[in-house]
Structures are given as C-alpha cells and as structure tokens.
Amino acid sequence: FVLDPVEDVQIAESARQEGRSDALIESYGERSIAVLPFVNMSSDPEQEYFSDGLSDTLIHVLAQASELRVTAKTSSFYFKGKDADLQEIANKLNVDNILEGSVQKSGNRVRITAQLIEAHSNTYLWSKKFDRDLGDIFTIQDEIAREVMASHEVTLLDTEEDRMVQRFQPTLKAYEQLILGRHEMAARTADSLTIAEQHFRRAIELDPVYALAYVGLAKTLRLQLDYGGLVLEESIELRQPLIDKALDLDPLSGEAQIESAFLDYNRRLNTGEDVPRKWEEVVLATLELSPNYAEVHRWYSGLLTERSRFEEALVHIRLAAELDPMSAINQTALAGMTWDAGRVEEAFMLVRRN
C-alpha cells in the first residue's frame, strides 16, 4: 500500500485547525531504506544469530532518524532465503534503497562487508569492507549507519545524535545475549519467549546499565500474555520495575516509552478504567522518538478507531502498513479500518489484493 502524502497532510492540517493536540504525523519523504539480513559467511552456521543481530541492530539505529523511513525487521527479514532480486524486494517494500552485506566471525575477529544500493537502477551508492577485532563491532555499526545517513543526506537532531552514540554500546557479551534474545522473541512461541527471557536476564546480569536489555525483557513478558502462560496481573508486576529501570537509564528511549504506555494500557484494561487523553499525548510523544515503530502506529490506530476517529486512524494504520508491508496483521487492520472509515470500495480492493 502506497501512502497518499497529499491526503495525509490534509488530514493532519485539519487536525491542527481544529486545535487537537494529537495532530497527525505527516508522511515521510523519499528517504527510504530496507536493511536485508546480512549473510552469515562464518564456518559455523550457528553464528547466523550474529549476522542477523547486526542487521537487526542497524535497523534499530537507523530508525532513530526521523528523516528516514526504515522498513521494519518483520518485512526486511521476510525475504531471507527467498529467490527475489533487489528490484522486486524494493517494489514490495516500497523503498528506494537497500542495505545488504555479509558477516564472517572467527574467534575474536570479524569481517563485515556492507553496501548501499539504489535498487531500481541497481546502482551502488556506497560499499565498504571492515576487518576488525570483534570488540569493534559497535564502531562498525556506527560507521555503517552514518554512511547510510550521509548518502541519504539525513540530518540528525541533537537528541537523535545522543541516542545513537550512547544506546548501542554495551559490553560485547551482553550485546550477544541481547541479539540472541531478540532472535528468540521474533518466533513468538511459548518456548521461544521463555528462552528469550533467559537471554535478556543474562544480558542484564552481564551489563546492569544496558537499557535495551530491560526493554527486551519487559517486551518478552508482555508477549507472554498472548503467546505464553503469563497472566495479566503477574505480567504487570514483573514489567513495572524493568520499565522504570530502562527509563532511568535512558529517558529518551522510544522503546522504553512505548513499553511504559503498553503497561499503563494493560493496567487500565485490567481495572476497567478508560484510557485518558493524556495517555494519547504520551503515545504521540513516543512516536516522535520512534517514528518508525510500525507496531505502535497500528496499536494507536486501533484506539482511534474505537473512538470513531476514523480518518486519523487511517493515517496511522497506513504508516504501519508502509513501514511493515509484509505484516499480515497490518494489512488486515488496514482493510478493516478502511471499511470502518466508510471507504467500502477501497476496503474490498485491499481484501482482494491480500
């Protein structure tokens, strides 16, 4: 689904004129990228978690830039192992540029190649090889991200610059536990979430000031409500101190902010309280910190639909579908909310397409 920038800006402007505090996020420009899973070139196939983790981390780092639209991991990794050329991938993900590469890890050494490609013309915009000590992995990630942003002429805000510098440089062993945890969490099964929980707890033990490890553990406990055996009251009790710690360590973490919002939503759902207007403002502030967070756009669009604010909901679900186009959940929600907005023919078109 391709966003209609004119229509979305008109809706946003209408919100502003009406004086609403939740004026909608405007559409992204042409700066768009998908990070494909880097290929594991190590002799040990079990090291694939490390190459996947590098791609995952680059997605998280690049997503801090508000001027850049970054495809969600769910959609970028959809093409892993599939026979599809870059132009086909770019068309399905609706991006102009693709970042791809390979990782070879051996002992304490790592060799990484990365290349940024303009997919429609198959033009290499940037390519580089890194042959470094494993401990330099965070410096490599930073260099790759900055090269990508320079190629897209992206200017970071001061707060975005601070987050890039500070948030992704834990101890190496803690980082490995984090990416193992994220790898397991992505499977969304009861067993995988139990394993993910163990990895995140180990990451916290290894690096007690690693905010993203606390966020990962909190998110795992939240997902166990749907995919595991955790009950709501216990989940709330376990998640609260984790989120508090993450926000104490990194107050500008969009991931921590939204987990805090999820927690508040769950607590109010458990007690039967209504979600207050102030809570919506918190969610929108979170989206300013993490504008590429497709899950939050979808979640917020659902709340707007419940309140019969259909046109506003459409903007956010369209953003979710744009950021994560291979997500069946997003596409289904998009069709449903289009129907709710009274756009029957468009809704049928979306259903037939999917």
Side-chain angles (χ1 to χ4, degrees):
F1 186 85
V2 179
L3 289 171
D4 183 344
V6 174
E7 181 181 7
D8 289 342
V9 171
Q10 288 173 343
I11 294 171
E13 182 59 30
S14 174
R16 293 189 188 94
Q17 289 175 357
E18 293 174 16
R20 298 201 301 268
S21 61
D22 58 339
L24 303 175
I25 297 171
E26 297 180 10
S27 303
Y28 296 92
E30 295 302 316
R31 300 183 179 100
S32 55
I33 185 172
V35 181
L36 300 186
F38 278 40
V39 178
N40 175 34
M41 301 295 290
S42 305
S43 57
D44 182 2
E46 292 189 4
Q47 291 297 321
E48 190 158 336
Y49 82 90
F50 191 84
S51 55
D52 284 352
L54 173 62
S55 307
D56 185 20
T57 302
L58 284 170
I59 291 171
H60 277 77
V61 174
L62 292 170
Q64 304 306 308
S66 56
E67 294 183 5
L68 189 63
R69 174 165 58 82
V70 183
T71 300
K73 177 185 175 182
T74 309
S75 290
S76 291
F77 276 56
Y78 174 84
F79 296 95
K80 183 176 180 178
K82 292 183 171 64
D83 185 18
D85 60 35
L86 291 184
Q87 187 169 7
E88 178 185 355
I89 294 173
N91 286 336
K92 289 188 175 181
L93 299 181
N94 191 30
V95 296
D96 294 321
N97 299 321
I98 299 285
L99 179 67
E100 64 173 10
S102 63
V103 180
Q104 185 173 3
K105 182 171 173 276
S106 178
N108 291 323
R109 299 289 294 178
V110 62
R111 175 175 294 171
I112 296 172
T113 61
Q115 50 233 6
L116 181 65
I117 304 165
E118 202 289 311
H120 300 292
S121 64
N122 202 31
T123 301
Y124 282 72
L125 303 176
W126 171 80
S127 179
K128 192 168 183 180
K129 180 181 290 186
F130 305 86
D131 198 345
R132 309 269 185 87
D133 289 335
L134 190 58
D136 290 334
I137 185 65
F138 307 117
T139 302
I140 298 171
Q141 290 171 353
D142 183 68
E143 289 182 27
I144 293 173
R146 291 182 186 279
E147 288 286 354
V148 169
M149 291 181 188
S151 297
H152 286 81
E153 298 182 345
V154 168
T155 302
L156 291 173
L157 302 175
D158 289 342
T159 53
E160 294 169 348
E161 178 73 30
D162 290 342
R163 293 203 300 276
M164 279 192 64
V165 170
Q166 297 173 7
R167 300 181 62 227
F168 299 97
Q169 297 191 14
T171 64
L172 183 59
K173 289 184 185 246
Y175 168 76
E176 289 185 330
Q177 290 298 314
L178 180 89
I179 60 177
L180 281 167
R182 284 179 169 170
H183 177 78
E184 294 292 342
M185 186 168 58
R188 298 290 205 273
T189 68
D191 289 342
S192 70
L193 289 172
T194 298
I195 297 171
E197 180 182 344
Q198 294 169 356
H199 285 302
F200 289 127
R201 291 192 185 281
R202 180 59 179 152
I204 292 170
E205 289 176 8
L206 292 166
D207 191 342
V209 295
Y210 192 11
L212 286 176
Y214 291 93
V215 174
L217 180 54
K219 184 173 182 179
T220 299
L221 294 170
R222 171 167 64 84
L223 290 173
Q224 287 180 12
L225 288 171
D226 295 323
Y227 303 96
L230 202 59
V231 297
L232 185 57
E233 293 83 355
E234 184 181 3
S235 172
I236 291 171
E237 183 179 352
L238 292 172
R239 286 152 59 199
Q240 184 68 70
L242 298 170
I243 295 167
D244 289 344
K245 182 65 175 180
L247 287 171
D248 181 58
L249 293 169
D250 188 0
L252 293 178
S253 167
E255 296 97 327
Q257 293 280 2
I258 200 56
E259 285 304 319
S260 179
F262 272 123
L263 182 65
D264 185 56
Y265 184 83
N266 286 156
R267 182 179 286 112
R268 292 178 184 280
L269 186 67
N270 189 43
T271 60
E273 296 179 63
D274 187 27
V275 177
R277 178 72 175 196
K278 183 178 179 181
W279 183 88
E280 292 183 55
E281 294 174 2
V282 171
V283 172
L284 286 171
T286 300
L287 285 172
E288 289 185 11
L289 291 172
S290 298
N292 287 287
Y293 208 148
E295 182 183 9
V296 180
H297 284 291
R298 183 185 73 244
W299 185 45
Y300 183 48
S301 69
L303 180 62
L304 291 170
T305 297
E306 290 176 7
R307 297 186 169 182
S308 301
R309 289 156 57 183
F310 300 117
E311 294 299 319
E312 297 171 71
L314 272 179
V315 173
H316 284 277
I317 193 57
R318 284 174 172 175
L319 281 169
E322 181 81 355
L323 291 163
D324 198 357
M326 308 310 293
S327 166
I329 296 175
N330 285 344
Q331 296 301 331
T332 301
L334 175 59
M337 291 179 192
T338 303
W339 174 279
D340 291 336
R343 304 185 183 194
V344 178
E345 291 185 8
E346 186 180 344
F348 275 125
M349 179 190 70
L350 290 167
V351 171
R352 286 194 295 269
R353 186 197 66 184
N354 294 318

